[in-house]
Amino acid sequence: EIIPKIAIVGFRITLLFVFITIICAIIAKLSFGGELTDVDPLHGLAESFLTLSDTLVVIGFLRVLRNKEIKNS
């Protein structure tokens, strides 16, 4: 297993982040007349998906490193 399953989920959520960001940017433009970065609730919502995906990727690869250390002990 080269890439842990939890990291793959994280990478998939990164794709979801891109999709959510596009949707939020459209809503910001149409509803508020501004950029996504100017509408804090929408910007925070989009960025939360990036935070979640990054966290899952890191956790996945940290588990791989920990398992390698245990096997080498």
Side-chain angles (χ1 to χ4, degrees), residues 1 62-73:
E1 180 176 323
L62 285 176
R63 285 183 180 174
V64 168
L65 290 175
R66 189 174 350 135
N67 288 340
K68 283 188 176 190
E69 288 176 1
I70 291 171
K71 288 179 183 177
N72 291 336
S73 296

Side-chain angles (χ1 to χ4, degrees), residues 5-27:
K5 289 180 183 177
I6 193 167
I8 292 173
V9 171
F11 288 127
R12 288 180 178 158
I13 292 176
T14 301
L15 294 175
L16 180 61
F17 156 73
V18 172
F19 178 73
I20 294 293
T21 300
I22 293 168
I23 298 301
C24 287
I26 292 169
I27 292 171

